[in-house]
Structure formats: structure tokens, C-alpha cells
Amino acid sequence: MMWRMENTYLLSAFKTISFIYDVITYPVYLILQQPWNKKQKSQRMKSKITVLDDNTILIKTLSTFSPNHLALVKDKIDTLYKVFQYSVNKYSESRCLGTREVLAEEDEVQPNGRIFKKYVMGDYKWMTYKDVDNASDYFGNALISLGQKHKENIAIFAETRAEWMISVQGCFKQNIPVVTLYATLGEEAIAHGINETEVSIVITSHDLLPKFKNILKLTPRVKTLIYMEDQLTKTNTSGFKDDVEIISFKSILQRGSEYTVTDRNLPIPSDIAIIMYTSGSTGVPKGVNLTHTNLIATLKAFNDAIQIDPEEDVFMGYLPLAHVFELLGELACLLCGIRIGYSTPLTMIDTSSKIKRGTKGDASILKPTVITAVPLILDRIYKGINEKVSSGTTLQKTLFKFAFEYKKKWIERGFQTPLLDTLVFKKTSALLGGRVRFILCGGAPLSPETHTLIKICVCGVVQQGYGLTETSSCGSGMSQDDMSTGRVGAPLTVNDFMLVSWEEASYRITDKPYPRGELIIGGENISPGYYKNPEKTKEEFFERDGQWWFKTGDIGQLESDGSIKIIDRKKDLVKLQGGEYVSLGKVESQLKTCPVVDNICIYGSSFHMYTIALVVPNRNHLVDMARKLNIENINELSSEELFSIKILQKAVLDELAAHGRKNKLERFEIPTAIILCIDVWTPDNNLVTAAFKLKRREIYAKYKTQIDNLYES
């Protein structure tokens, strides 16, 4: 009771002080900050809307081109080779790519007595634009010396680091298409991508090289592995197939410095630059062809959407470069002369799992001003801040809560709070080095709660965007003036949107108050199609009025200012918060054969890292499981009572997981939580069709409360 009284007194004192402060400073802030301008910019119309027919709306941006966009057009810079040469000529001696030095790996005793290995780290070591240009020249030369042909594919399967960017730039210079493979893909999926693209050379890393002891058994064409070295540990290259040559990255650069390519074959805009593998609805990864024209279009759009300063800005690269969002973000930085310092989730902040006590995390040393992020990363920061606050004293918790609500109120009115930022939020912004001025977030929907907290505690500008691999990561983006949350902004400058009614699900462009329908994106950024998959290309892509379009499968809502809000997904392919794609139908087809399952529906959310299984169990099998668990009075229990027993739920979940692993489902595809459903799903209760196909929306709606409670718990 006493602490509650103290809390009330403290809150009253803060309110009184803030009221006096507001009265004194309001006229000054009103004149200096002119909040009405910010609100007007936030509320301005962002798109031009044209009704094409009864089912289709065309949405065009009202944004204008940036100086960099115009420069690319004026100077006819139409390939990624030309982009980097443009940057090298302009920023030759400026810092380009930075790598943090790892000094040692030492044991650290934890409070529970366990011992973990942690890094002792030094400063960033930088390569200039000229250094990177030379290294990429050597890398490209070495590939040709190994027998690699122009326009023949090469694969990169490696973590994000400077050598990744050097490799891809070297390939661009020799007109060698680069196949990118997610590090999270399973061995069979990796082998599928390598075999389908007929790759003979694969670029990998010290940490991932051991995977190829198994992968090489499935990829007979591969004759050369190039690995990026570890700073501390010598790479073990023994135990691999005898006919595969394994070469270090440094050796490749040395080889390239001694070899001259006489037959230069520079790319043209229509040439394929990247074949990016992304998960398919059947579970088999599909390669997305991306041309130089596609990627140049996105570079133009990114430059139109953000404002950057080559003198001051520093970019921290840590997301996977095999994802088109990170690759285009870094290429946009290189175009503008922004230096990129590399990091990893294991070393990013002072409390990261591989940082030894007394050593600073990468962000504290690099002090980035610009970062890309996915909701998963921002949600972790959100949880970290809340946990830190919750562990504080009554005074600290009261002050933070008051400061948070106070700042939220004033930024919604268009004001900044410089004094409060210095007194309270300086510590939270220091998590990412203290200098981040804007964050570009994509990959999945960002929750309004996380968006708001990051804006208040870490960085004033958080821009959410929307795009897909098939659209070269380009689509729509919030403007820097947009004060809203939960939306993805208007179309970017190089593409248009169509909103098309989806009658089957009752999403129509005639809906009130906001038109709704499937989003279809058209423009120069749209991929020509899927690699060696004309049927899928024909299904997802089409031409209209001389423009190439892609059906996203996402349901958008067109708001009053011309911005888009993503409200649903037409396809059953769900992207989890960690960026993994889950084909709901594929997982269900595998788990439906589990003995305990009569019917099953998988639910996945882009706001969470795992899936949930809604299971109609086979009661006889469930009763047998209950007996083995020594659950008493089984026959006297109702279905509701039986299904709610926690240990029985856990046993069903474990059986599902074992069955999933047996059927070679990936870790992220296997449900992490379960709901046992009492009702049998029939056409009569509208949960399945007449052909007994799942009606997902109806099932999700029926069990919405249980799904929400399960995620919250």
C-alpha cells in the first residue's frame, strides 16, 4: 500500500512540473517547431486514384523524383556495374565497407555457473570505395580463371559480411548471374536451388562450409567451393568430396590480382543480375529472376523515399543479404556514398549473446544513423526495453511511464520533446548507438505498439514499407512525414498499384468507407518471372496496357489519404515474423497423416515467430494417450474437460512435432502451440467446403479468442 501512495505522489509531482514546463515553453516550441506543418504533411494526399472498371482501381503515387533518381536517368546508369563505377568515381577515397575486428574468444562464467564463449572485439577496419572496387575486380577475374563463363550462374550461400558484397560486385562486372540462397533453408532446398540453376561454383563461409559435406552428395555439378575465412579459427577443409576444389577468399583475391580478363562482357539492362530463391506454396523454393533494370528501378525508388547524407550517415548491415530487402538497401547506400559497417544479431548490442562483458557491441562502436529492420528485431528491442523498465525501482518505472505517455501525446500533436529525449530516452536510444535517425522496416507487418515504442524510445522516424522478392523489394513506403502506424504508405515512384475486387472473400473496391481488394503491382521493378517455371510465371504475372504486373495475393485497404493498409492474405503462404515462409497447405498435408489427427488447420501470423495447430483429434487415439499418461476417470470426462488437460495437450503437440520431423518439415514449419477443437468440421457448420476443403477464414474466426489467448500466453 505504501508504494502505491508513493507512486501516486510521484506521478502528481511529475504532472505538476510538466504542466509548468508546458506553459512556459509552449509558445517557444510552437514558433520553432511549427507542428501544423508536420501534421499537414502527414495528412496530405499521397496517391492519385483512377477507377478502371467495376472491379479495379489504379493507384499512382504523387511523390516526385529525387536528385539521385534524376542523375541515374541523365547519365544513363542502367546496370549495377555502372552504379558501382559511378560511386567509385564520386567517392573513391571515402570509407565503403567496414568489418569489426575480433581480437579473441574467451570463456565467460555466467551467474548460474555455466561457461559460454564470448568475443573480445576491437574497432572497425574500413575499405575505401577504391579498395572494394579493386577487390571486386580481382574476385571477378579469379572466377573467369576458374572456368566460369559469362551469363552462367554462380551461387552465394553465406552470412552477411563485406566479402558477400565484394563477391556480388565482382560477378556484376563479369555479367555472372548470382543465385542467392537463404541460410535458413534446409539441405535439400539448398541442393534444389544449386541443381536447378546448374551451378558449378558456390561461395560460402567458414561457418556454413561443413554443411557441404552432405550437400555435395546431392549436387554433382559443383566443382569449386570458395569460403570466406573466420578471423580467429583456421578452416578445416578435409573430409569433402575429392573432386571438389576448396579455396579461401583471400586466395581467390590473390589469384585474381595475377590474372587479367581479356574478354570483358559487361551486362546490359535486360540481363539477369540475381536469381533469388524464395519459398514456394508447394514447399519447394522457387527462383525469382531479377534483371539489372528491376534492381535499378528499386534503387531509384528507395532514393526517392528516403533522405540521406553521404557526409554524416552510417548504415549498419546485419540482415541476410540473400533477402532482396537488405541487398537493395545496401546497394542504395553504395549509390549514395554511405559507408556500411557490418554486424550480426550475436554482436549487435552490448548485451548480445557473443559480446564479452566489458566489450561494446557493434552499434556502440559504429554509431549508425540508418538501419533496415524487420519486425522481429524491433519486437526484441520492444521487449528488452519493457523488461528493463519492469526491473527498475518504483521511481524509475513511474518516471518512464509518465515520460512515455507525455512524449506520445506531444508527438501526436506534431511536436518534438528535446529535453525529455536528453533526460529520459537517451539511454534507450543508446541501444543502437544513440545516433539512429531513421529506420526502414519491411519483410512483415510491424505492429502499431512496437512502431510507437521505437519512435518514442529509439528513433523518431520509423518508415514501414511493403514489397516482395518478385517486385525487387519495391512496392509502397511511408513518407518520412507520415505520423501514422499500421500502414505501408503509398506506391513508390517506379511502380503503380491496382486494387482488384476479390468476390470470393467479399473484398470489393466498392466497400465503404475504404475500398478493399487484392494488390497487384506493375512497373519496371517487376521480375520477368520464375526461373525455369513458365507455368508459375503465367499464373502470377501478366501484361496490361504495356506494363508488366504481379499478383501479390495480399489484400489491401485504400485509405482516405491514398495510403495502403495490408489487412489479409489471399494465398495460404504465410511469412512468419522471422522472415520464414510457411505453406499452410503443405504442413497440413504432412501432419494430417499423424494418428492423433482427424483434421487440422495451421495458423500463422506475421506478428509471431511460430505457427499454431488447430486440431480436431481422433478421440480413440486421444483416450489411449490419456491412459498412458495415467489420467484418471477418462470415461467420465466430457470432451471439453478432456481436451483442456494440459499434459494431454502437450503430448499431442509432441506427437505432432515428431511426426513433422519424420516427414522432413523444417523447424519453423512445425507448430509450437496447439488448440484441441471439440467440434467436428463439416459443411453444415460452414468450417469446410462441400469437398471438405478447409475454410480458413471461418475457422480462424470461430477460434479467434483461443488463438489470441494462446499467443498472448
Side-chain angles (χ1 to χ4, degrees):
M1 182 64 70
M2 181 64 70
W3 70 265
R4 287 182 180 174
M5 291 179 62
E6 290 176 356
N7 200 35
T8 302
Y9 291 143
L10 287 169
L11 195 55
S12 297
F14 291 147
K15 287 181 177 179
T16 301
I17 294 169
S18 69
F19 177 76
I20 296 171
Y21 175 79
D22 289 345
V23 170
I24 296 171
T25 61
Y26 181 79
V28 178
Y29 284 161
L30 189 68
I31 295 169
L32 293 178
Q33 297 185 11
Q34 300 181 352
W36 60 88
N37 285 334
K38 186 167 185 178
K39 295 189 75 173
Q40 285 176 354
K41 289 179 180 178
S42 177
Q43 296 165 1
R44 68 175 173 82
M45 194 66 185
K46 300 171 181 67
S47 298
K48 177 184 177 182
I49 314 301
T50 305
V51 178
L52 298 182
D53 54 48
D54 292 343
N55 293 309
T56 311
I57 290 175
L58 179 66
I59 309 167
K60 286 180 171 285
T61 186
L62 291 175
S63 297
T64 56
F65 296 154
S66 65
N68 274 328
H69 183 146
L70 296 173
L72 290 179
V73 175
K74 176 178 175 291
D75 295 336
K76 298 181 180 180
I77 298 170
D78 51 13
T79 67
L80 293 172
Y81 162 77
K82 291 181 182 178
V83 167
F84 192 59
Q85 294 312 301
Y86 170 86
S87 299
V88 171
N89 292 336
K90 196 172 181 180
Y91 308 108
S92 178
E93 299 305 321
S94 298
R95 289 179 171 183
C96 183
L97 305 181
T99 301
R100 186 101 186 264
E101 190 176 15
V102 182
L103 302 176
E105 187 177 43
E106 299 179 355
D107 292 338
E108 181 180 271
V109 180
Q110 306 304 302
N112 60 7
R114 297 182 67 185
I115 298 175
F116 291 124
K117 290 193 175 295
K118 305 274 187 169
Y119 287 145
V120 178
M121 305 188 75
D123 208 344
Y124 271 86
K125 302 296 182 184
W126 291 93
M127 299 175 70
T128 66
Y129 274 79
K130 187 61 179 174
D131 293 336
V132 175
D133 187 39
N134 289 335
S136 60
D137 271 343
Y138 299 155
F139 188 84
N141 292 347
L143 293 181
I144 301 301
S145 77
L146 289 169
Q148 180 73 28
K149 305 296 185 187
H150 305 297
K151 293 192 176 184
E152 287 187 357
N153 303 323
I154 195 169
I156 301 183
F157 177 64
E159 308 91 346
T160 295
R161 50 195 288 178
E163 293 93 333
W164 205 110
M165 183 57 71
I166 291 168
S167 300
V168 80
Q169 292 294 345
C171 291
F172 293 156
K173 290 179 176 184
Q174 299 296 340
N175 199 9
I176 298 170
V178 177
V179 178
T180 66
L181 300 161
Y182 292 4
T184 56
L185 289 175
E187 291 179 357
E188 289 186 3
I190 296 164
H192 167 77
I194 290 173
N195 289 332
E196 186 173 68
T197 54
E198 302 179 38
V199 162
S200 63
I201 298 177
V202 179
I203 305 154
T204 187
S205 68
H206 167 88
D207 290 334
L208 294 176
L209 181 64
K211 286 179 174 286
F212 282 89
K213 289 183 178 179
N214 291 326
I215 294 171
L216 287 174
K217 298 173 184 176
L218 308 173
T219 54
R221 289 180 182 271
V222 175
K223 299 302 178 187
T224 307
L225 293 176
I226 300 168
Y227 67 90
M228 307 168 189
E229 301 94 331
D230 183 78
Q231 290 194 44
L232 298 178
T233 307
K234 183 177 173 58
T235 303
N236 183 356
T237 58
S238 62
F240 293 83
K241 285 176 64 177
D242 292 337
D243 62 343
V244 175
E245 186 178 12
I246 302 175
I247 315 172
S248 72
F249 196 84
K250 289 180 181 176
S251 297
I252 279 290
L253 295 187
Q254 181 61 39
R255 178 176 182 142
S257 69
E258 299 166 356
Y259 184 86
T260 301
V261 176
T262 56
D263 180 25
R264 291 296 293 270
N265 190 329
L266 298 178
I268 61 174
S270 60
D271 283 336
I272 301 299
I274 299 286
I275 303 171
M276 190 159 281
Y277 270 79
T278 182
S279 300
S281 58
T282 62
V284 178
K286 56 183 184 289
V288 180
N289 291 315
L290 296 174
T291 67
H292 287 267
T293 292
N294 296 152
L295 303 179
I296 293 290
T298 298
L299 291 185
K300 293 173 181 174
F302 279 12
N303 272 273
D304 296 337
I306 59 178
Q307 298 172 2
I308 46 185
D309 180 356
E311 297 296 327
E312 295 294 329
D313 281 328
V314 182
F315 182 88
M316 182 165 66
Y318 67 96
L319 294 177
L321 273 165
H323 291 211
V324 69
F325 178 48
E326 177 69 11
L327 177 60
L328 267 299
E330 293 193 19
L331 291 176
C333 286
L334 295 181
L335 169 64
C336 301
I338 306 301
R339 56 190 182 274
I340 301 170
Y342 286 101
S343 178
T344 75
L346 300 178
T347 60
M348 184 185 295
I349 61 176
D350 296 353
T351 56
S352 290
S353 60
K354 286 293 287 185
I355 294 293
K356 195 174 191 298
R357 280 192 295 268
T359 295
K360 293 289 186 183
D362 298 334
S364 296
I365 301 299
L366 184 65
K367 299 190 183 303
T369 62
V370 182
I371 65 170
T372 51
V374 292
L376 173 64
I377 299 295
L378 298 184
D379 283 342
R380 285 176 178 170
I381 295 173
Y382 175 98
K383 292 172 184 176
I385 291 173
N386 282 333
E387 289 172 3
K388 186 75 173 177
V389 171
S390 298
S391 64
T393 64
T394 300
L395 174 62
Q396 291 170 328
K397 286 187 283 190
T398 303
L399 175 60
F400 183 85
K401 181 179 179 181
F402 172 77
F404 184 90
E405 294 299 330
Y406 178 89
K407 182 174 179 179
K408 181 182 176 183
K409 174 184 70 177
W410 284 108
I411 65 172
E412 287 174 350
R413 296 173 179 175
F415 285 91
Q416 296 174 339
T417 56
L419 182 61
L420 202 61
D421 291 343
T422 300
L423 295 177
V424 179
F425 297 113
K426 189 174 182 179
K427 286 186 177 180
T428 53
S429 67
L431 282 171
L432 292 177
R435 293 183 65 226
V436 176
R437 63 180 187 83
F438 83 82
I439 297 172
L440 186 61
C441 183
L446 178 64
S447 71
E449 294 79 11
T450 299
H451 194 155
T452 299
L453 181 136
I454 298 299
K455 283 175 65 176
I456 290 172
C457 298
V458 179
C459 169
V461 178
V462 181
Q463 293 177 254
Q464 189 171 182
Y466 168 76
L468 305 95
T469 305
E470 290 87 344
T471 68
S472 309
S473 188
C474 189
S476 66
M478 297 175 68
S479 70
Q480 292 197 357
D481 301 312
D482 195 336
M483 298 164 60
S484 67
T485 60
R487 309 190 304 171
V488 296
L492 294 172
T493 53
V494 298
N495 57 226
D496 303 327
F497 278 17
M498 286 195 294
L499 196 65
V500 180
S501 296
W502 184 25
E503 292 290 342
E504 184 181 347
S506 300
Y507 290 121
R508 302 180 180 92
I509 65 169
T510 54
D511 289 345
K512 304 295 182 184
Y514 303 117
R516 303 184 300 171
E518 181 183 3
L519 288 173
I520 298 178
I521 305 178
E524 286 193 339
N525 55 309
I526 306 302
S527 162
Y530 298 113
Y531 187 79
K532 290 185 178 178
N533 197 339
E535 295 82 9
K536 191 69 176 173
T537 298
K538 188 175 181 180
E539 179 183 334
E540 304 289 351
F541 298 84
F542 65 95
E543 186 177 355
R544 175 170 174 165
D545 299 329
Q547 186 157 267
W548 194 236
W549 297 84
F550 174 70
K551 303 173 186 177
T552 69
D554 288 313
I555 304 302
Q557 176 173 289
L558 178 60
E559 308 223 311
S560 56
D561 65 347
S563 287
I564 299 294
K565 183 176 184 179
I566 306 298
I567 58 172
D568 206 340
R569 181 155 182 83
K570 189 175 181 181
K571 304 175 183 178
D572 75 351
L573 189 66
V574 172
K575 191 175 188 180
L576 300 182
Q577 193 180 46
E580 303 94 344
Y581 285 92
V582 176
S583 173
L584 304 179
K586 169 203 167 187
V587 175
E588 288 157 354
S589 67
Q590 297 293 338
L591 296 183
K592 198 174 285 187
T593 59
C594 184
V596 76
V597 173
D598 267 351
N599 210 343
I600 186 169
C601 179
I602 302 298
Y603 178 83
S605 166
S606 294
F607 294 111
H608 297 280
M609 293 184 64
Y610 56 89
T611 60
I612 284 174
L614 295 92
V615 175
V616 177
N618 179 294
R619 186 176 173 89
N620 291 335
H621 192 90
L622 197 68
V623 168
D624 288 342
M625 293 177 69
R627 288 198 180 99
K628 292 176 182 177
L629 294 169
N630 297 318
I631 295 173
E632 298 178 351
N633 305 318
I634 298 171
N635 295 327
E636 299 175 14
L637 298 176
S638 66
S639 293
E640 187 171 357
E641 291 169 333
L642 181 65
F643 289 11
S644 63
I645 296 173
K646 296 296 183 184
I647 58 170
L648 187 57
Q649 293 175 352
K650 177 68 165 53
V652 174
L653 184 62
D654 289 345
E655 185 166 327
L656 271 183
H659 191 78
R661 289 191 293 270
K662 178 183 175 183
N663 285 275
K664 297 185 177 180
L665 290 180
E666 300 291 345
R667 172 193 53 78
F668 56 83
E669 293 177 312
I670 297 173
T672 306
I674 194 172
I675 295 170
L676 296 180
C677 303
I678 298 170
D679 296 324
V680 176
W681 301 340
T682 68
D684 292 337
N685 58 24
N686 200 36
L687 296 180
V688 295
T689 68
F692 286 90
K693 293 181 180 179
L694 298 179
K695 300 184 77 170
R696 294 188 188 281
R697 290 185 67 210
E698 287 75 8
I699 292 172
Y700 296 162
K702 178 177 177 64
Y703 298 102
K704 182 179 186 304
T705 300
Q706 290 167 267
I707 290 171
D708 290 345
N709 290 340
L710 201 56
Y711 273 126
E712 288 173 6
S713 63

